[in-house]
Amino acid sequence: MARVRRLGVRFRHGLTRLLPVGGEYALLALGVAAVAAVLAVDLVGSHAGLFHHLGQIAHPDAATARAVIGNCSRVLGAVLALSISLVALAVPLTANIYTPRLIQLFISDRVVRGVLSLFVLSNFFAISTLAMVREGFVPTVAYLSLLVLAPVCLLAVIPFIAYVFRFLLPRQIIDRLSAATLGRMAAAAAGRAPPHQACLEVLGLVETQANMAQKSLERMDRVVTLDALQALKAILIQYVDLKPRLPGDWFVVLMRDMKGYTRETVAAVHRDRLIIEMHVYRQWELVMGASLGKIPDVSTTIASSAREVAEAQVAARDNAAIGLTVEFFNTLLRVAINRRDARGAYNVIYQYRLLAEFFCLADTDRAAQVAGHFAYYARLAGDVGLGFITEVAAHDLAYQVDRFVSAGLEARLVEVLATFPTPGSSARGVRCAQARAGAALLAAGREGAGPLVDLFTALPDRERHEVKEALLAEGPQWFWEITDRRQNLHYLPPEDRPHVEAFFARVAAGTSP
């Protein structure tokens, strides 16, 4: 049985190489070739001979021509009816599921227009040819053309159906929306389209992508939701490269172009040339809010996408856009915390941490700013009962000691950590992060851990002992559940243990480094 399957696979591969139409239509092409071969054998093997039959086909009498043209007309009518029925049913149904803009994309597609035009014109041609047939007169050229056109249209039905079904695949819809968006941007940059009108079209396309993500989210369709969100990321990253080449009229913002925003916000967007970024971030925020408690991967995808966009903006030195992206991260944290969604906040904080590490290398002022935001939202999380998020934020800052030291920002990091909130049951976890940061500073040979030493010196002996024991306890490196990070926040590598001991020795001695 396995040998038969292998032979079948080899036959299909061989057929794919031999037939130029491609492997998926190889069987169709083989069937056409077989029919042609059978007909040729019959014609050659007849007593009258091949050329006699070809002559009769090429020069029929009026009755024969009328019968043949009538049959071709019925075949072409069936082809047209089938195609229109398919389009009329499949396209609106899919558009209702994903986006009404799909109808516009479909009717503007060149292949769809071409094939449907071919089917319509073929029917018109068949009717016209039939009307021209008279007793003693047959329009030979039109008759022979119809004999070729009818089989071509009939054979085109299967590829056309396959094309329509592929067109309606969610991934194809997303790719076409992205291509249309980038096309309008490029046209405006090259001066081939009115800038402001092209910008409005791009805003509409961006909103369509986001709506598609939201509708997929409602049906718990994880793959399509994430694909649509990542498509927006790719659009925004390419927009960062195109932005310097766009004319000034592209950035003209009117109140009617930004519904739901205040006049002051619209003025700021116009001044800083942030209309596309603001619109994408607004759509991401709406999807993020709708996803909390449903598909956790959405928050990770949105936050990681925003981080990658920020990295591209840093490379382009677009300071206004970088500031907006930082504000967007803060907005995502606010949305997750207000909804009491620890998983969403946890995912966003991790990407925010990676962005802070990137800023340590590329924009130290932003890195210091982000550290302050960590403390603010950690306190906010603690106030609403998400103490775990406070603890995660503290550890994420502690993990960045080396980066902040390299950037010369250890004083700012220590200042933030020394005043970090310690709500309820998360107090020990925050203290562990503070001690880890102090130990890392000592390991780096820095003399900036004084505020942390003073903080622990003022703690009761029992609390200091508990924190030290928690840090030095043997534990697994990876958390014992499947999580996004997999990292055990309290794990301390063996090489760092002596530095923790040294830190607590400083604390016990009551001396600040």
Side-chain angles (χ1 to χ4, degrees):
M1 191 66 184
R3 184 177 180 183
V4 172
R5 283 198 298 268
R6 286 196 298 270
L7 288 174
V9 171
R10 290 179 182 176
F11 174 75
R12 186 176 184 279
H13 286 316
L15 204 59
T16 302
R17 296 191 190 98
L18 291 174
L19 296 173
V21 294
E24 54 190 2
Y25 299 128
L27 189 59
L28 176 62
L30 183 63
V32 172
V35 171
V38 170
L39 293 176
V41 169
D42 283 340
L43 290 175
V44 171
S46 67
H47 295 291
L50 174 63
F51 293 104
H52 174 74
H53 288 294
L54 291 178
Q56 286 187 328
I57 293 173
H59 302 285
D61 55 38
T64 303
R66 192 175 288 110
V68 172
I69 296 172
N71 289 333
C72 290
S73 180
R74 284 189 288 273
V75 169
L76 291 172
V79 167
L80 180 61
L82 175 63
S83 302
I84 292 178
S85 299
L86 170 68
V87 170
L89 289 174
V91 176
L93 286 175
T94 309
N96 186 53
I97 294 174
Y98 294 112
T99 169
R101 192 178 286 267
L102 173 62
I103 297 175
Q104 180 182 346
L105 288 174
F106 188 81
I107 62 178
S108 63
D109 184 76
R110 292 182 178 179
V111 174
V112 172
R113 286 184 173 184
V115 173
L116 290 180
S117 298
L118 172 66
F119 292 166
V120 171
L121 291 175
S122 298
N123 277 273
F124 176 75
F125 182 63
I127 295 172
S128 302
T129 303
L130 184 60
M132 292 173 63
V133 177
R134 296 288 186 272
E135 195 64 38
F137 173 74
V138 175
T140 306
V141 175
Y143 170 78
L144 294 177
S145 300
L146 190 60
L147 288 182
V148 175
L149 194 58
V152 168
C153 290
L154 183 61
L155 293 175
V157 170
I158 293 179
F160 180 66
I161 292 174
Y163 181 84
V164 170
F165 285 155
R166 286 196 192 93
F167 192 103
L168 301 179
L169 290 175
R171 181 71 252 182
Q172 288 288 327
I173 299 172
I174 292 171
D175 289 343
R176 289 176 185 277
L177 288 171
S178 298
T181 305
L182 295 173
R184 298 311 293 163
M185 290 181 182
R192 299 192 306 270
H196 186 64
Q197 182 61 35
C199 181
L200 295 181
E201 292 176 10
V202 167
L203 294 180
L205 289 165
V206 165
E207 192 166 343
T208 299
Q209 290 269 33
N211 288 342
M212 188 169 178
Q214 283 190 312
K215 287 190 174 183
S216 301
L217 180 63
E218 292 171 1
R219 298 190 312 278
M220 300 298 288
D221 191 336
R222 173 181 173 276
V223 174
V224 177
T225 302
L226 300 185
D227 283 348
L229 295 173
Q230 290 173 338
L232 288 175
K233 175 197 70 176
I235 289 170
L236 202 49
I237 289 176
Q238 293 195 49
Y239 173 72
V240 171
D241 295 332
L242 277 173
K243 190 175 180 180
R245 303 199 298 272
L246 290 167
D249 289 346
W250 173 276
F251 304 99
V252 174
V253 184
L254 303 175
M255 284 295 296
R256 65 172 180 268
D257 300 333
M258 297 189 66
K259 299 179 179 65
Y261 292 92
T262 64
R263 189 175 301 276
E264 292 78 11
T265 300
V266 173
V269 168
H270 175 69
R271 181 189 66 243
D272 297 331
R273 302 158 69 96
L274 297 173
I275 183 169
I276 300 299
E277 294 91 339
M278 178 67 84
H279 198 63
V280 172
Y281 292 161
R282 178 60 174 165
Q283 300 305 317
W284 273 346
E285 179 191 348
L286 294 174
V287 177
M288 168 81 172
S291 72
L292 295 177
K294 294 181 179 179
I295 304 180
D297 293 345
V298 170
S299 57
T300 299
T301 301
I302 292 175
S304 64
S305 298
R307 175 180 55 79
E308 293 180 41
V309 169
E311 293 173 0
Q313 291 166 342
V314 169
R317 299 181 180 179
D318 191 344
N319 291 323
I322 298 168
L324 185 67
T325 305
V326 171
E327 293 174 9
F328 176 62
F329 265 100
N330 297 336
T331 302
L332 291 181
L333 280 175
R334 171 77 69 173
V335 169
I337 291 171
N338 285 350
R339 295 282 295 274
R340 309 307 197 263
D341 193 293
R343 180 74 176 273
Y346 174 80
N347 294 337
V348 173
I349 284 177
Y350 177 66
Q351 297 299 327
Y352 210 2
R353 164 193 160 184
L354 297 180
L355 180 59
E357 292 177 357
F358 177 79
F359 281 153
C360 285
L361 301 175
D363 191 338
T364 55
D365 291 340
R366 301 282 185 192
Q369 182 185 25
V370 169
H373 293 324
F374 263 66
Y376 175 81
Y377 288 100
R379 182 173 290 104
L380 185 63
D383 291 343
V384 299
L386 297 179
F388 170 69
I389 297 303
T390 305
E391 182 179 346
V392 169
H395 278 279
D396 277 345
L397 280 179
Y399 284 129
Q400 299 180 64
V401 168
D402 291 341
R403 298 293 180 92
F404 274 75
V405 167
S406 300
L409 297 173
E410 64 270 19
R412 173 59 176 162
L413 182 63
V414 169
E415 176 189 354
V416 171
L417 280 173
T419 58
F420 219 77
T422 54
S425 60
S426 298
R428 182 187 297 180
V430 173
R431 297 299 184 207
C432 287
Q434 292 168 330
R436 181 195 293 270
L441 286 169
L442 293 179
R446 297 287 179 160
E447 299 298 322
L452 294 175
V453 172
D454 295 340
L455 173 66
F456 275 83
T457 301
L459 293 178
D461 292 342
R462 179 180 177 183
E463 187 173 350
R464 287 202 304 269
H465 178 73
E466 289 176 349
V467 172
K468 180 180 177 181
E469 290 299 316
L471 276 175
L472 297 178
E474 294 288 343
Q477 180 179 1
W478 306 113
F479 193 57
W480 46 88
E481 297 175 5
I482 297 177
T483 63
D484 293 343
R485 305 195 198 185
R486 293 198 61 210
Q487 188 176 23
N488 182 2
L489 294 178
H490 297 284
Y491 173 75
L492 190 69
E495 61 270 18
D496 290 343
R497 296 176 185 275
H499 305 304
V500 172
E501 295 277 10
F503 174 77
F504 279 100
R506 289 283 184 92
V507 172
T511 58
S512 300

